[in-house]
Amino acid sequence: MNHAAITGWGKCMPPAVLSNADLSTFLETDDEWIVSRTGMRERRMAHVPAIEMAAVAAARALACAGLAAADLDLIVYGSCSNDEQVPNSASGVQVRLGAHRAAAMDVNTACTSFLYGLSTAAAMVRTGAVRNAVVIGVELISPYMDWSNRNVAVLFGDGCAAVVLQAADDIGEQPGVGLLGEQLGCYADARQTLRVRGMGCTYANRGQVFGDTQWDFDGQEIFKRAVHGMGEAAAAVMAKCGVTPDEVDLVVPHQANLRIIEAVVKRARIPMDKVMLTVQRYGNMSAATVPVALVEALEEGRVKPGALILMPAFGAGLTLCAHLVRWGSRVTPLGTSSAELPPLAKTALEMVNELRTIKAGAAERSGAALQEPVLAETRGTLA
């Protein structure tokens, strides 16, 4: 089989750092409480739209692969925090890259969006529908965060990374290089355990302003399902590909929580020294966690030629997956990109406090504005 190989990689991390100490200025929490429960010490806050982060990461991935934007066939944009619903976000990346030949599609399976996108693009490369693709995992969660809810406000951050896929045969790689297999699934019966109220059209007539969110987050149930789901998916994909845990060189998991990661790899019978961790630096970036961790593993020299990489993930829905990749012969970029984010003018804490002020004002205005329409609707019904 002609597998789809990862030939380029690039990340785009916002420079503004939101520390645990920053969070403690407006939440009843502290560094010890957060670290002991999550392993997180800081996370990033974006000062630009998600599409802008995605375009920078994609440009860097293309340069790494030695591929021109004009030759790109497909852009897959994995995210659950899109700048807009219509038009789609992938088309915004296409414009910024100048990849005018490329098809453009969005994938939203929450935290698993990048890996579901990887499966989608890899299948299209394998069948010959496209020759190459860029797959992006990006989240801009900060505007949607309920900054008054300690249980979720400490967990999430913004960030982005992207990879380039090409048919292994087309680039002269050895047989068996690329995405070997995946296991996808969903615990839809528990989808209500992680819900962001205020993101979506269903809330338009329910007295809630778009972006003024309330998070349903059942931490204990999510923990249990995440450990079971990622563990089962990892075991299934290894069995499917005829691989034993000892043969796995590196695990690049979804970085939801350090304790979840530890439980998953223990269940998979893989030692922690084979795990790439970024949760302490970036928190949970949802769809961006796996690709950012993969790029940093490459930057740190933890990915060797021919390495076998296991990537399990879990997200709202409750979606789950695990992917197994055989790395190719190249672990260094062919080129670099000059793409950069614009300068940062504010600190992360300043941006958060602005968001908190905007949300408080919006909630106050919506409460006043909704009173008369509700009364009018009632009068009409009674008449």
Side-chain angles (χ1 to χ4, degrees), residues 198-217:
M199 287 179 74
C201 296
T202 190
Y203 300 102
N205 297 316
R206 297 187 183 182
Q208 194 156 6
V209 177
F210 290 111
D212 180 20
T213 57
Q214 294 175 326
W215 290 56
D216 296 339
F217 192 88

Side-chain angles (χ1 to χ4, degrees), residues 9-364:
W9 52 91
K11 67 179 182 182
C12 179
M13 294 304 300
V17 177
L18 186 70
S19 69
N20 290 347
D22 291 331
L23 291 169
S24 69
T25 64
F26 59 88
L27 291 171
E28 189 178 341
T29 190
D30 57 32
D31 182 70
E32 182 181 1
W33 188 91
I34 298 171
V35 173
S36 65
R37 288 162 175 78
T38 69
M40 300 172 186
R41 297 186 180 277
E42 56 189 39
R43 65 287 298 149
R44 299 297 177 92
M45 287 280 298
H47 63 296
V48 297
I51 289 174
E52 194 160 345
M53 285 193 291
V56 171
R60 292 171 176 172
L62 288 168
C64 176
L67 190 66
D71 296 326
L72 186 60
D73 291 337
L74 174 67
I75 299 167
V76 181
Y77 186 103
S79 181
C80 63
S81 57
N82 295 56
D83 294 339
E84 298 175 290
Q85 289 300 113
V86 180
N88 72 350
S89 296
S91 61
V93 176
Q94 192 230 53
V95 169
R96 284 163 175 78
L97 292 177
H100 304 302
R101 289 182 55 254
M105 64 183 292
D106 292 359
V107 172
N108 175 11
T109 57
C111 299
T112 60
S113 298
F114 168 77
L115 289 172
Y116 270 61
L118 192 72
S119 290
T120 302
M124 295 176 75
V125 169
R126 282 197 300 266
T127 61
V130 300
R131 297 171 304 157
N132 55 63
V134 63
V135 183
I136 302 162
V138 56
E139 297 292 0
L140 181 59
I141 297 175
S142 52
Y144 297 104
M145 179 51 60
D146 178 358
W147 291 105
S148 66
N149 185 343
R150 180 181 67 170
N151 291 329
V152 292
V154 304
L155 297 178
F156 292 91
D158 303 334
C160 181
V163 300
V164 170
L165 291 180
Q166 294 179 273
D169 287 356
D170 290 351
I171 55 173
E173 281 288 2
Q174 296 297 316
V177 164
L179 178 60
L180 304 183
E182 62 268 273
Q183 181 70 28
L184 310 178
C186 181
Y187 295 145
D189 62 301
R191 67 191 299 270
Q192 75 283 352
T193 59
L194 206 175
R195 171 177 278 126
V196 184
R197 300 177 185 272
M199 287 179 74
C201 296
T202 190
Y203 300 102
N205 297 316
R206 297 187 183 182
Q208 194 156 6
V209 177
F210 290 111
D212 180 20
T213 57
Q214 294 175 326
W215 290 56
D216 296 339
F217 192 88
D218 185 342
Q220 290 186 345
E221 184 67 14
I222 292 167
F223 185 99
K224 181 178 71 175
R225 298 271 188 157
V227 172
H228 184 270
M230 285 197 284
E232 290 292 302
V237 75
M238 285 190 288
K240 189 185 297 184
C241 297
V243 168
T244 67
D246 290 342
E247 293 176 285
V248 173
D249 296 298
L250 185 67
V251 182
V252 183
H254 174 48
Q255 312 277 318
N257 178 303
L258 180 57
R259 292 191 296 176
I260 290 176
I261 295 170
E262 290 171 339
V264 168
V265 296
K266 181 179 181 180
R267 186 184 182 104
R269 294 181 289 114
I270 298 173
M272 278 299 294
D273 62 7
K274 287 187 175 184
V275 179
M276 181 65 194
L277 292 175
T278 62
V279 66
Q280 69 281 12
R281 292 192 295 274
Y282 303 134
N284 182 351
M285 295 178 290
S286 187
T289 61
V290 169
V292 168
L294 178 61
V295 172
E296 295 212 346
L298 283 150
E299 292 172 346
E300 294 176 14
R302 296 193 64 180
V303 178
K304 307 298 182 184
L308 191 61
I309 302 173
L310 177 66
M311 298 185 288
F314 189 85
L318 298 167
T319 61
L320 59 99
C321 63
H323 290 59
L324 200 60
V325 170
R326 175 71 70 184
W327 202 260
S329 58
R330 184 169 55 81
V331 294
T332 56
L334 291 177
T336 58
S337 169
S338 60
E340 295 284 351
L341 293 179
L344 178 67
K346 299 172 184 175
T347 68
L349 184 56
E350 287 171 340
M351 287 190 283
V352 169
N353 284 333
E354 284 186 2
L355 286 169
R356 292 172 62 226
T357 300
I358 291 168
K359 287 176 181 290
E364 194 174 312

